[in-house]
């Protein structure tokens, strides 16, 4: 029996904002189509496919010409979108870029056509990335800013180069085995967001159909990814808590 999300009558529209597929992410274990079906069955209104980009754990050979790389990279999203259109699940495009040896940023609001025309984004610094993305009308969120892992040599923060902070990453519930109810990674992210008065987001960082309940919930159905960006900056909605979001 599939997991079902609890419905909050004030915020009934739930969105998974940080999701990986096996087509785009080397660590992904389920296809975009499979992820779309699983999220629909769980009660999500929509999902944002944010596969690991050029600087991260991408599934696509970096030796490919840029146009070919982008076409292959977008397959997870496109396969999820195809199924989403069939089953009534909104599917939006984004990506997760790793810079500075493992610091991750979620990018929203741009599309494949934009990527094809802007190969410079793959080699940008955090500061350059912010400028490039903003000039194109996109949004930059610092994903799990205080995560400790083998691939992150040290914590680096870029408060001048992000629009908001992911304060709950549901995968941390699976990573952190300590006695505290609130894992330290998310607790520190919340303090960081509060200190800088950043808009707060949440996502699960899910890599398979074994969903873990992250994301955000809104009082209204979003029109598109730009509407999501507007809602985040206007501080609409609430962050889903992770596994406890399920019935």
């Amino acid at each position: 029996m599939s997991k079902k999300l609890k419905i909050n009558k004030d915020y009934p529209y739930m969105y998974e904002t940080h999701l990986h597929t096996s087509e785009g992410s080397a660590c992904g274990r389920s296809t975009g189509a499979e992820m779309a079906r699983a999220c629909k069955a769980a009660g999500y209104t929509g999902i944002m496919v944010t596969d690991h980009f050029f600087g991260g754990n991408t599934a696509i050979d970096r030796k490919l010409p840029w146009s070919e790389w982008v076409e292959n990279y977008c397959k997870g999203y496109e396969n999820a979108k195809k199924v989403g259109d069939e089953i009534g699940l909104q599917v939006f495009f984004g990506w997760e870029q790793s810079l500075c040896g493992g610091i991750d940023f979620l990018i929203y609001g741009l599309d494949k056509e934009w990527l094809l025309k802007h190969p410079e984004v793959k080699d940008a610094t955090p500061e350059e990335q912010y400028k490039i993305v903003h000039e194109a009308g996109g949004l930059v969120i610092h994903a799990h800013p205080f995560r400790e892992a083998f691939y992150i040599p040290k914590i680096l923060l870029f408060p001048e180069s992000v629009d908001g902070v992911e304060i709950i990453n549901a995968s941390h519930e699976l990573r952190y085995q300590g006695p505290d109810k609130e894992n330290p990674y998310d607790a520190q992210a919340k303090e960081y967001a509060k200190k800088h008065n950043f808009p707060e987001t949440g996502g699960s960082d899910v890599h398979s159909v074994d969903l873990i309940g992250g994301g955000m919930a809104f009082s209204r159905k979003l029109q598109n990814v730009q509407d999501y960006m507007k809602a985040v900056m206007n501080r609409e909605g609430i962050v889903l808590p992770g596994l406890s979001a399920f019935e």
Side-chain angles (χ1 to χ4, degrees):
M1 185 176 181
S2 62
K3 299 174 182 176
K4 286 285 189 180
L5 292 165
K6 300 172 186 175
I7 304 296
N8 182 322
K9 65 181 179 61
D10 295 319
Y11 300 94
Y13 300 100
M14 293 173 283
Y15 291 82
E16 173 53 84
T17 68
H18 189 165
L19 176 148
H20 298 277
T21 75
S22 58
E23 291 99 333
S25 300
C27 45
R29 301 191 298 279
S30 301
T31 66
E34 291 169 337
M35 296 301 290
R37 293 190 184 97
C39 288
K40 174 66 175 180
Y44 283 104
T45 305
I47 62 174
M48 299 172 202
V49 177
T50 55
D51 275 317
H52 290 297
F53 198 61
F54 197 88
N57 197 21
T58 179
I60 316 304
D61 187 351
R62 295 179 182 84
K63 295 178 182 177
L64 290 172
W66 179 244
S67 60
E68 191 174 347
W69 189 91
V70 171
E71 290 291 343
N72 281 278
Y73 173 77
C74 292
K75 285 181 179 177
Y77 159 74
E78 291 172 344
N79 291 336
K81 180 72 163 61
K82 182 176 184 295
V83 170
D85 288 346
E86 295 169 355
I87 63 177
L89 179 80
Q90 293 179 294
V91 180
F92 304 143
F93 178 68
W95 66 84
E96 183 178 21
Q97 173 69 312
S98 285
L99 301 172
C100 305
I103 309 305
D104 293 325
F105 302 88
L106 295 165
I107 311 298
Y108 303 101
L110 307 180
D111 57 18
K112 182 170 77 172
E113 287 66 34
W114 185 89
L115 283 176
L116 288 168
K117 296 175 182 176
H118 294 275
E120 69 274 13
V121 73
K122 67 182 173 64
D123 300 312
T125 65
E127 295 83 4
E128 292 167 342
Q129 173 182 257
Y130 186 71
K131 182 175 185 293
I132 294 168
V133 169
H134 259 238
E135 286 178 347
L139 185 78
V140 181
I141 300 295
H142 194 156
H144 46 73
F146 292 91
R147 174 182 291 175
E148 297 177 9
F150 71 91
Y151 65 90
I152 303 175
K154 63 179 179 178
I155 302 300
L156 295 174
L157 302 174
F158 300 89
E160 303 300 324
S161 300
V162 299
D163 298 299
V165 175
E166 184 183 66
I167 64 162
I168 292 183
N169 183 292
S171 73
H172 290 161
E173 289 188 79
L174 308 179
R175 291 169 177 263
Y176 185 64
Q177 303 298 319
D180 298 330
K181 183 177 180 180
E182 187 171 40
N183 67 67
Y185 310 143
D186 290 350
Q188 291 175 83
K190 291 174 186 176
E191 285 299 315
Y192 176 54
K194 182 178 179 181
K195 176 181 177 181
H196 292 276
N197 195 31
F198 278 132
E200 300 174 349
T201 72
S204 74
D205 206 351
V206 67
H207 287 67
S208 77
V209 295
D210 187 12
L211 304 181
I212 49 181
M216 297 189 70
F218 298 92
S219 62
R220 60 185 180 84
K221 186 176 182 178
L222 302 177
Q223 298 177 25
N224 47 41
V225 70
Q226 286 76 24
D227 196 20
Y228 168 69
M229 293 159 51
K230 178 181 177 182
V232 167
M233 296 308 292
N234 288 341
R235 302 168 194 263
E236 296 181 40
I238 58 173
V239 175
L240 296 178
L243 291 171
S244 60
F246 290 119
E247 294 178 348

